[in-house]
Amino acid sequence: MAAVKETVDQVRAIDVDQYKYGFESDIASDRARKGLGEDVVRFISAKKNEPEWMLEWRLDAYRRWLTMDEPTWARVEYPQIDFQEIYYYSAPKSTAGPKSLDEVDPELLKVYEKLGIPLREQAVLAGVEGAKIAVDAVFDSVSVVTTFREELAKKGVIFCSISEAMREHPELVRKYIGSVVPVTDNYYATLNSAVFSDGSFVYIPEGVRCPMELSTYFRINERNTGQFERTLIIAEKGSYVSYLEGCTAPQRDENQLHAAVVELIAMDDAEIKYSTVQNWYPGDKDGKGGIYNFVTKRGDCRGDRSKISWTQVETGSAITWKYPSCILRGDDSQGEFWSIAVSNGRQQVDSGTKMLHLGKNTKSRIVSKGISAGHSQNTYRGQVSVNRKATGARSFTNCDSLLIGQGCGAHTVPYIESRTPSAKVEHEATTSKISDDQLFYCISRGLSAEEAVALIVNGFVRDVLQQLPMEFAVEAQKLIGVSLEGSVG
Amino acid sequence: MLEITNLHAEIESEGREILRGLDLVVKPGEIHAIMGPNGAGKSTLSHVLAGKPGYLVTEGTATLDGVDLLGLDPAARAAAGVFLAFQYPVEIPGVGNVTFLKAALNAQRRARGEGEISTPDFMRLLRGAAGRLEISQDMLKRPVNVGFSGGEKKRNEILQMAILQPKLCILDETDSGLDIDALKVVAEGVNGLRSPDRAFVVITHYQRLLDHIVPDFVHVLAKGRIVKSGGPELALELEAKGYADFAEEAA
């Protein structure tokens, strides 16, 4: 995807501490006071002209959050986060109004240009017909522009920022928000529910196959700012949508917090494909700075024969805490999780999935590829749980770890729980190293050590890359190579 | 083309000297066979020339067309025209054979300051070479050496050689693990690559391979040095008498 385009073409010698997207944009912003309190929650809600019920919903979440404790079960270590030291709302000043491209701050457009995001519709149109992507760009806390809306509207597809959806389609938002990830789901999801600022909203009507890839592009720019976006995707009966998400942040010494919530809902025979290429700033080589990424993503296969597929390529963030999951509620519904998690430097990744089989003959498939280099720690944590009523359920997990060098670690923590004798649950796991012989073989054919590692790693993750839309896959492949530069030699 | 003078090399971790003053001169267009008992240093010679880590050259020189090979990293040696056909080709899961070939060829071309090869040109080159080596489409699509039979792996090495067009080809016991039919295909592949400006160093334990790849010179390597050189007839003599005499002579 465009999110990582520049990287690859131009940067050869990038290291973990030479993060490509580490430019800071000088854009006037409109912020809430530092720290968190009911006043801040009210401030955010007021900024967005939200209906009363939404404010109540946020306040309820905030009050519950105060009673909760930060989870500590993940295999990640970081200093205590001071939630009063963070700004919870930051909006580029000039984007308050409705969003046609002409009204967007040119500085902002330049930022996205630097990132290679195809906001200019005509630029995208000039490309291949099949490669059209509609983009919703989120800068710090708010969505700044959404492209291709008219064309989508012809099909009845709603694609806009969630703030806008709350005003334009309150009945849909109210019906579905929090229905997959409840307000009290977990510490970070609850925090998000209180202070979420923006995100994307997608609604695909019955029987519609969304005519193009939908994409959101997230960037954290402001200092000490948390990004709490919330995405809600609803696919009505027999519809289909493919959604891409890309992320970057500037390079900073201090840590930045990111706590998103994504909810997907698939009705009978609907299919949602959700792909992420996450390239938040990972911190420098000594582990200074970087994004703390605490994300709750969950899909609900609410209808029979529905399907939700998560594909993620995680290369950034100092800390990743992320478990995109599927609730397989409808009979014959299917959940998939395809993951590549690359860690280098001092990065810590604790990621995986949960597949909850509730309906009959539900199927889940998990393919996880973890690559650890440098002094990083990379954990796969997954849960497959088969309910008593989920007769004939089947689940297959394949979890492979690849180690590069001596200083890193890979860990696999599967939880399997089956209450149905007729269920079939399989788990396979391997751990391997890039051998010196493999490296020498490639190098003796003329490849540099870094090209050799990138080639071997891309071979290792090939199954997952194939799940990504093509333009995305090519970029992701290069991004993985860039992320691992400096890991050998 | 290749000039090796008084080469001494040891295994780095053990400090054990394997090559002890080896001299060899190979001219363009020639095929030199290197034979010798186990442990004589045959594979070490091929590894040291290709630049495999783990060896320490303590004395002597090796040059390719006047360029000091020992001062180059292995990738640069490849770009300079050195190719080692491995005794045990390595498997690279998930990396398609064609992808690998193209990446290697382009890396070498970039290193030499040439542009990358166009896809149609590459495919033409590949199809021609694959046809001569009886390499199927399926084998081209599969990941590098994964699940290949012994014969397929060796044929694949020769395919790489045909695509990369090196100046100096070193074959390290390419005949090991091959049945007679596979051996013939490999030998024909090698013979097809003979040219006045390319040289071969064929390392082998057995005379059998040399019936099919006829060398200009045969050398006996024992205890880290070339102890005897001759024409193809020397290989036959070795086949009849074994290496016992040379082990004695060198000692």
Side-chain angles (χ1 to χ4, degrees), chain A residues 78-148:
Chain A
Y78 53 94
Q80 185 88 34
I81 298 170
D82 185 346
F83 289 91
Q84 294 305 334
E85 278 299 309
I86 297 169
Y87 289 96
Y88 288 84
Y89 182 83
S90 165
K93 249 181 187 156
S94 54
T95 58
K99 309 147 182 182
S100 100
L101 272 175
D102 301 334
E103 292 172 42
V104 175
D105 186 341
E107 270 297 304
L108 212 59
L109 286 180
K110 267 189 232 157
V111 171
Y112 283 103
E113 232 160 75
K114 271 193 220 173
L115 295 165
I117 313 297
L119 286 185
R120 289 274 172 201
E121 296 180 26
Q122 57 269 42
V124 182
L125 281 167
V128 196
E129 175 68 16
K132 265 199 286 186
I133 298 174
V135 180
D136 182 25
V138 177
F139 199 84
D140 286 337
S141 301
V142 299
S143 167
V144 291
V145 67
T146 309
T147 59
F148 281 111

Coordinates of all heavy atoms in Angstrom, one line a residue, chain A residues 78-148:
Chain A
Y78 N 7.2 -2.5 30.2 CA 7.4 -1.1 29.9 C 7.1 -0.3 31.1 O 6.4 -0.9 32.0 CB 6.4 -0.7 28.8 CG 5.0 -1.1 29.0 CD1 4.1 -0.2 29.6 CD2 4.5 -2.3 28.7 CE1 2.8 -0.5 29.9 CE2 3.2 -2.7 29.0 CZ 2.3 -1.8 29.6 OH 1.0 -2.1 29.9
P79 N 7.6 0.9 31.3 CA 7.4 1.6 32.5 C 5.9 2.0 32.6 O 5.2 2.1 31.6 CB 8.2 2.9 32.3 CG 8.7 2.9 30.9 CD 8.5 1.6 30.3
Q80 N 5.4 2.1 33.8 CA 4.0 2.5 34.0 C 3.6 3.7 33.1 O 4.4 4.7 33.1 CB 3.9 2.9 35.5 CG 2.5 3.2 36.0 CD 1.8 2.0 36.4 OE1 2.4 1.0 36.9 NE2 0.5 1.9 36.1
I81 N 2.5 3.6 32.5 CA 2.0 4.8 31.7 C 1.3 5.8 32.6 O 0.5 5.4 33.4 CB 1.1 4.3 30.6 CG1 1.7 3.3 29.7 CG2 0.5 5.5 29.8 CD1 0.8 2.6 28.7
D82 N 1.7 7.0 32.5 CA 1.0 8.1 33.2 C -0.1 8.6 32.4 O 0.2 9.4 31.5 CB 2.0 9.2 33.7 CG 1.3 10.2 34.6 OD1 0.0 10.2 34.7 OD2 2.0 11.0 35.2
F83 N -1.3 8.2 32.6 CA -2.4 8.6 31.7 C -2.8 10.1 31.9 O -3.5 10.6 31.1 CB -3.6 7.7 32.0 CG -3.4 6.3 31.5 CD1 -2.9 5.3 32.3 CD2 -3.7 6.0 30.2 CE1 -2.6 4.0 31.8 CE2 -3.5 4.7 29.7 CZ -2.9 3.7 30.5
Q84 N -2.2 10.7 32.9 CA -2.5 12.2 33.0 C -1.4 13.0 32.2 O -1.5 14.2 32.2 CB -2.4 12.6 34.5 CG -3.6 12.0 35.3 CD -5.0 12.3 34.8 OE1 -5.2 13.3 34.1 NE2 -5.9 11.4 35.0
E85 N -0.4 12.3 31.7 CA 0.6 13.1 30.9 C 0.3 13.1 29.4 O 1.1 13.5 28.6 CB 2.0 12.4 31.2 CG 2.6 12.9 32.5 CD 2.9 14.4 32.5 OE1 3.5 14.9 31.5 OE2 2.5 15.0 33.5
I86 N -0.8 12.6 29.0 CA -1.2 12.4 27.6 C -2.2 13.4 27.2 O -3.1 13.7 28.0 CB -1.6 11.0 27.3 CG1 -0.5 10.0 27.7 CG2 -2.1 10.8 25.9 CD1 -1.0 8.5 27.7
Y87 N -2.1 13.9 26.0 CA -3.2 14.7 25.4 C -4.2 13.7 24.7 O -3.8 12.8 23.9 CB -2.7 15.7 24.4 CG -1.9 16.8 25.0 CD1 -0.6 16.8 25.1 CD2 -2.6 17.9 25.4 CE1 0.1 17.8 25.6 CE2 -1.9 19.0 26.0 CZ -0.5 18.9 26.1 OH 0.1 20.0 26.7
Y88 N -5.5 13.8 25.0 CA -6.4 12.9 24.5 C -7.1 13.3 23.2 O -7.9 12.6 22.6 CB -7.4 12.5 25.5 CG -6.8 11.6 26.6 CD1 -6.0 12.1 27.6 CD2 -6.8 10.2 26.4 CE1 -5.4 11.3 28.5 CE2 -6.1 9.4 27.3 CZ -5.4 9.9 28.3 OH -4.7 9.1 29.2
Y89 N -6.9 14.6 22.9 CA -7.5 15.1 21.7 C -6.7 16.1 21.0 O -6.2 17.1 21.7 CB -8.9 15.7 22.0 CG -9.6 16.2 20.7 CD1 -10.4 15.2 20.0 CD2 -9.6 17.5 20.3 CE1 -11.0 15.7 18.8 CE2 -10.2 17.9 19.2 CZ -11.0 17.0 18.4 OH -11.6 17.4 17.3
S90 N -6.4 15.9 19.8 CA -5.6 16.9 19.0 C -6.1 16.9 17.6 O -6.1 15.9 16.9 CB -4.1 16.5 19.1 OG -3.4 17.3 18.1
A91 N -6.5 18.0 17.1 CA -7.0 18.1 15.7 C -6.3 19.2 15.0 O -6.0 20.3 15.5 CB -8.5 18.5 15.8
P92 N -5.9 18.9 13.8 CA -5.3 20.0 13.0 C -6.4 21.1 12.8 O -7.5 20.8 12.6 CB -5.1 19.3 11.6 CG -5.2 17.8 11.8 CD -6.1 17.7 13.0
K93 N -6.0 22.3 13.1 CA -6.9 23.4 13.2 C -7.9 23.6 12.1 O -9.0 24.0 12.2 CB -6.2 24.7 13.6 CG -6.5 25.1 15.0 CD -5.8 26.4 15.4 CE -6.0 26.7 16.9 NZ -5.0 27.5 17.4
S94 N -7.3 23.5 10.9 CA -8.0 24.0 9.7 C -9.0 23.0 9.2 O -9.6 23.1 8.1 CB -7.1 24.4 8.6 OG -6.2 23.3 8.4
T95 N -9.3 21.9 9.9 CA -10.1 20.8 9.2 C -11.5 20.6 9.9 O -12.1 19.6 9.8 CB -9.4 19.5 9.3 OG1 -9.1 19.2 10.6 CG2 -8.2 19.5 8.5
A96 N -12.0 21.7 10.6 CA -13.2 21.5 11.3 C -14.4 21.3 10.4 O -15.3 20.5 10.6 CB -13.5 22.7 12.2
G97 N -14.4 21.9 9.2 CA -15.5 21.8 8.3 C -15.7 20.5 7.6 O -14.9 19.6 7.8
P98 N -16.6 20.5 6.7 CA -16.8 19.3 5.8 C -15.6 19.1 4.9 O -14.8 20.0 4.7 CB -18.1 19.5 5.1 CG -18.3 21.0 5.2 CD -17.6 21.5 6.4
K99 N -15.5 17.9 4.3 CA -14.2 17.6 3.8 C -14.2 17.3 2.3 O -14.3 16.2 1.9 CB -13.7 16.3 4.5 CG -13.8 16.5 6.0 CD -14.1 15.2 6.6 CE -14.3 15.3 8.1 NZ -14.5 14.0 8.7
S100 N -14.0 18.3 1.5 CA -13.6 18.1 0.2 C -12.1 18.4 0.2 O -11.6 19.2 1.0 CB -14.4 19.0 -0.8 OG -13.6 20.1 -1.2
L101 N -11.4 17.8 -0.8 CA -10.0 18.0 -0.8 C -9.5 19.4 -0.8 O -8.5 19.8 -0.3 CB -9.4 17.2 -2.0 CG -9.1 15.8 -1.8 CD1 -8.7 15.1 -3.1 CD2 -8.0 15.6 -0.7
D102 N -10.3 20.3 -1.5 CA -9.9 21.7 -1.7 C -9.8 22.4 -0.4 O -9.2 23.4 -0.2 CB -10.8 22.4 -2.6 CG -10.8 21.7 -4.0 OD1 -9.8 21.0 -4.3 OD2 -11.8 21.8 -4.7
E103 N -10.6 21.9 0.6 CA -10.7 22.6 1.9 C -9.6 22.1 2.9 O -9.5 22.6 4.0 CB -12.1 22.4 2.5 CG -13.1 23.1 1.7 CD -14.5 22.8 2.2 OE1 -14.7 22.7 3.5 OE2 -15.4 22.6 1.4
V104 N -8.9 21.1 2.5 CA -7.9 20.6 3.4 C -6.7 21.4 3.4 O -6.2 21.9 2.4 CB -7.6 19.1 3.0 CG1 -6.5 18.5 3.9 CG2 -8.8 18.2 3.1
D105 N -6.1 21.6 4.6 CA -4.8 22.4 4.7 C -3.8 21.8 3.8 O -3.5 20.6 3.9 CB -4.4 22.2 6.2 CG -3.2 23.1 6.5 OD1 -2.5 23.5 5.6 OD2 -2.9 23.3 7.7
P106 N -3.2 22.6 2.9 CA -2.2 22.1 2.0 C -1.0 21.5 2.7 O -0.4 20.5 2.2 CB -1.8 23.4 1.2 CG -2.8 24.4 1.5 CD -3.5 24.1 2.7
E107 N -0.7 22.0 3.9 CA 0.4 21.4 4.7 C 0.1 19.9 4.9 O 1.0 19.0 4.9 CB 0.5 22.1 6.0 CG 1.5 23.3 6.0 CD 2.9 22.8 5.7 OE1 3.4 22.0 6.4 OE2 3.5 23.4 4.7
L108 N -1.2 19.6 5.2 CA -1.6 18.3 5.6 C -1.5 17.4 4.4 O -1.1 16.2 4.4 CB -3.0 18.4 6.1 CG -3.5 17.4 7.1 CD1 -2.6 17.6 8.4 CD2 -4.9 17.7 7.5
L109 N -1.9 17.9 3.3 CA -1.9 17.2 2.0 C -0.4 16.8 1.7 O -0.1 15.7 1.2 CB -2.5 17.9 0.9 CG -4.0 18.0 0.9 CD1 -4.5 18.8 -0.4 CD2 -4.6 16.6 0.9
K110 N 0.5 17.8 2.0 CA 1.9 17.5 1.8 C 2.4 16.4 2.6 O 3.2 15.5 2.2 CB 2.7 18.8 2.1 CG 3.0 19.6 0.9 CD 4.0 20.7 1.2 CE 3.4 22.1 0.8 NZ 4.0 23.2 1.6
V111 N 1.9 16.3 3.9 CA 2.3 15.2 4.8 C 1.9 13.9 4.1 O 2.7 13.0 4.1 CB 1.6 15.4 6.2 CG1 1.9 14.1 7.0 CG2 2.1 16.6 6.9
Y112 N 0.7 13.8 3.7 CA 0.2 12.6 3.1 C 0.9 12.3 1.8 O 1.2 11.1 1.5 CB -1.3 12.6 2.9 CG -2.0 12.4 4.2 CD1 -2.6 13.4 4.9 CD2 -2.0 11.1 4.8 CE1 -3.2 13.2 6.2 CE2 -2.5 10.9 6.0 CZ -3.1 11.9 6.7 OH -3.7 11.7 7.9
E113 N 1.3 13.3 1.1 CA 2.1 13.1 -0.1 C 3.4 12.5 0.2 O 3.9 11.5 -0.4 CB 2.3 14.4 -0.8 CG 1.9 14.4 -2.3 CD 1.7 15.8 -2.8 OE1 2.7 16.5 -3.0 OE2 0.5 16.3 -2.9
K114 N 4.1 13.0 1.3 CA 5.3 12.4 1.7 C 5.2 11.0 2.0 O 6.1 10.2 1.8 CB 5.8 13.1 3.0 CG 6.7 14.4 2.7 CD 7.3 14.8 4.0 CE 7.3 16.3 4.2 NZ 7.8 16.7 5.5
L115 N 4.0 10.6 2.6 CA 3.8 9.2 3.0 C 3.3 8.4 1.8 O 3.3 7.2 1.8 CB 2.7 9.2 4.0 CG 3.1 9.8 5.4 CD1 1.8 10.0 6.2 CD2 4.0 9.0 6.1
G116 N 3.0 9.1 0.7 CA 2.6 8.4 -0.5 C 1.2 7.9 -0.4 O 0.8 6.9 -1.0
I117 N 0.3 8.6 0.3 CA -1.1 8.2 0.4 C -1.8 8.8 -0.8 O -1.8 10.0 -1.0 CB -1.8 8.7 1.6 CG1 -0.9 8.5 2.8 CG2 -3.2 8.1 1.8 CD1 -0.7 7.0 3.1
P118 N -2.5 8.0 -1.6 CA -3.2 8.6 -2.8 C -4.5 9.3 -2.4 O -5.6 8.8 -2.7 CB -3.5 7.3 -3.6 CG -3.6 6.2 -2.6 CD -2.8 6.6 -1.4
L119 N -4.4 10.5 -1.8 CA -5.6 11.2 -1.5 C -6.2 11.9 -2.8 O -7.4 12.0 -2.9 CB -5.3 12.3 -0.5 CG -5.0 11.8 0.9 CD1 -4.9 13.0 1.8 CD2 -6.2 11.0 1.4
R120 N -5.4 12.3 -3.6 CA -5.9 13.0 -4.8 C -6.5 11.9 -5.7 O -5.9 11.1 -6.3 CB -4.7 13.6 -5.6 CG -4.1 14.9 -4.9 CD -4.9 16.1 -5.2 NE -4.5 17.2 -4.4 CZ -5.3 18.3 -4.2 NH1 -6.5 18.3 -4.8 NH2 -4.9 19.3 -3.5
E121 N -7.8 12.1 -5.8 CA -8.6 11.1 -6.6 C -8.1 10.9 -8.0 O -7.9 9.9 -8.5 CB -10.0 11.3 -6.5 CG -10.6 11.3 -5.1 CD -12.1 11.6 -5.1 OE1 -12.7 11.3 -6.1 OE2 -12.6 12.0 -4.0
Q122 N -7.8 12.1 -8.6 CA -7.4 12.0 -10.0 C -6.1 11.3 -10.2 O -5.9 10.5 -11.1 CB -7.3 13.4 -10.6 CG -6.3 14.4 -9.9 CD -7.0 15.2 -8.9 OE1 -7.9 14.7 -8.1 NE2 -6.7 16.5 -8.8
A123 N -5.2 11.4 -9.2 CA -3.9 10.7 -9.3 C -4.2 9.2 -9.2 O -3.6 8.4 -10.0 CB -3.0 11.0 -8.1
V124 N -5.1 8.8 -8.4 CA -5.5 7.4 -8.3 C -6.2 6.9 -9.6 O -5.9 5.9 -10.1 CB -6.4 7.1 -7.1 CG1 -6.7 5.7 -6.9 CG2 -5.7 7.7 -5.8
L125 N -7.1 7.8 -10.0 CA -7.8 7.4 -11.3 C -6.9 7.2 -12.4 O -7.2 6.4 -13.3 CB -8.8 8.5 -11.6 CG -10.1 8.5 -10.7 CD1 -10.9 9.8 -10.9 CD2 -10.9 7.3 -11.1
A126 N -5.8 8.0 -12.4 CA -4.8 7.9 -13.5 C -4.2 6.5 -13.6 O -3.7 6.1 -14.6 CB -3.7 9.0 -13.4
G127 N -4.2 5.8 -12.4 CA -3.6 4.5 -12.4 C -4.5 3.4 -13.0 O -5.4 3.7 -13.7
V128 N -4.2 2.2 -12.7 CA -4.9 1.1 -13.2 C -6.4 1.1 -12.7 O -6.6 1.4 -11.5 CB -4.3 -0.2 -12.8 CG1 -4.8 -1.4 -13.7 CG2 -2.8 -0.1 -12.9
E129 N -7.3 0.8 -13.5 CA -8.7 0.7 -13.1 C -8.9 -0.1 -11.8 O -9.5 0.3 -10.9 CB -9.6 0.2 -14.2 CG -11.0 0.0 -13.9 CD -11.8 1.3 -13.7 OE1 -11.2 2.4 -14.1 OE2 -12.9 1.3 -13.2
G130 N -8.3 -1.3 -11.8 CA -8.5 -2.2 -10.7 C -7.9 -1.8 -9.4 O -8.1 -2.3 -8.4
A131 N -7.0 -0.8 -9.5 CA -6.2 -0.5 -8.3 C -6.8 0.7 -7.5 O -6.1 1.3 -6.7 CB -4.8 -0.1 -8.7
K132 N -8.0 1.0 -7.8 CA -8.6 2.1 -7.1 C -8.8 1.8 -5.6 O -9.3 0.8 -5.2 CB -10.0 2.4 -7.7 CG -9.9 3.5 -8.8 CD -11.2 4.2 -9.0 CE -12.1 3.2 -9.9 NZ -13.3 3.8 -10.3
I133 N -8.5 2.8 -4.8 CA -8.6 2.6 -3.4 C -9.2 3.9 -2.8 O -8.7 5.0 -3.1 CB -7.3 2.4 -2.7 CG1 -6.6 1.1 -3.2 CG2 -7.4 2.3 -1.2 CD1 -5.2 0.9 -2.7
A134 N -10.3 3.8 -2.0 CA -10.8 4.9 -1.4 C -10.2 5.1 0.0 O -10.0 4.1 0.7 CB -12.3 4.8 -1.2
V135 N -9.8 6.3 0.4 CA -9.0 6.5 1.6 C -9.7 7.4 2.6 O -10.2 8.4 2.2 CB -7.6 7.1 1.2 CG1 -6.8 7.3 2.5 CG2 -6.9 6.2 0.2
D136 N -9.6 7.0 3.8 CA -10.0 7.9 4.9 C -8.8 8.2 5.7 O -8.2 7.3 6.3 CB -11.1 7.2 5.8 CG -11.6 8.1 6.9 OD1 -11.5 9.3 6.8 OD2 -12.0 7.6 7.9
A137 N -8.3 9.4 5.7 CA -7.0 9.8 6.4 C -7.3 10.3 7.7 O -8.0 11.3 7.9 CB -6.3 10.7 5.5
V138 N -6.7 9.7 8.7 CA -6.8 10.2 10.1 C -5.5 10.8 10.6 O -4.5 10.1 10.6 CB -7.3 9.1 11.0 CG1 -7.4 9.5 12.5 CG2 -8.7 8.5 10.6
F139 N -5.6 12.0 11.0 CA -4.4 12.7 11.5 C -4.5 13.0 12.9 O -5.4 13.7 13.3 CB -4.3 14.0 10.6 CG -2.9 14.6 10.6 CD1 -2.0 14.2 9.7 CD2 -2.6 15.6 11.5 CE1 -0.7 14.8 9.6 CE2 -1.3 16.2 11.4 CZ -0.4 15.8 10.5
D140 N -3.6 12.5 13.8 CA -3.8 12.6 15.2 C -5.2 12.1 15.6 O -5.5 10.9 15.5 CB -3.5 14.0 15.7 CG -2.0 14.3 15.7 OD1 -1.2 13.3 15.7 OD2 -1.6 15.4 15.7
S141 N -6.1 13.0 15.9 CA -7.3 12.5 16.4 C -8.5 12.6 15.4 O -9.5 12.0 15.7 CB -7.8 13.4 17.6 OG -6.8 13.2 18.6
V142 N -8.3 13.3 14.3 CA -9.5 13.4 13.5 C -9.3 12.9 12.0 O -8.2 13.0 11.5 CB -10.1 14.8 13.4 CG1 -10.5 15.2 14.8 CG2 -9.1 15.8 12.9
S143 N -10.4 12.6 11.4 CA -10.3 12.2 10.0 C -10.3 13.5 9.2 O -11.0 14.4 9.4 CB -11.6 11.4 9.7 OG -11.8 11.3 8.3
V144 N -9.3 13.6 8.3 CA -9.2 14.8 7.6 C -9.8 14.8 6.2 O -10.2 15.8 5.6 CB -7.7 15.3 7.5 CG1 -7.2 15.7 8.8 CG2 -6.8 14.2 6.9
V145 N -9.8 13.6 5.6 CA -10.4 13.6 4.3 C -10.8 12.2 3.9 O -10.2 11.2 4.4 CB -9.4 14.1 3.2 CG1 -8.2 13.3 3.1 CG2 -10.1 14.3 1.9
T146 N -11.9 12.0 3.3 CA -12.3 10.7 2.8 C -12.5 10.8 1.3 O -13.2 11.7 0.9 CB -13.6 10.2 3.5 OG1 -13.4 10.4 4.9 CG2 -13.9 8.8 3.2
T147 N -11.9 9.9 0.5 CA -12.0 10.1 -0.9 C -13.0 9.1 -1.5 O -13.5 8.2 -0.9 CB -10.6 9.8 -1.6 OG1 -10.2 8.5 -1.2 CG2 -9.6 10.8 -1.1
F148 N -13.4 9.4 -2.8 CA -14.2 8.5 -3.5 C -15.6 8.3 -3.0 O -16.3 7.3 -3.2 CB -13.6 7.1 -3.7 CG -12.6 7.1 -4.8 CD1 -11.2 6.9 -4.4 CD2 -12.9 7.2 -6.1 CE1 -10.3 6.9 -5.4 CE2 -11.9 7.2 -7.1 CZ -10.6 7.0 -6.7

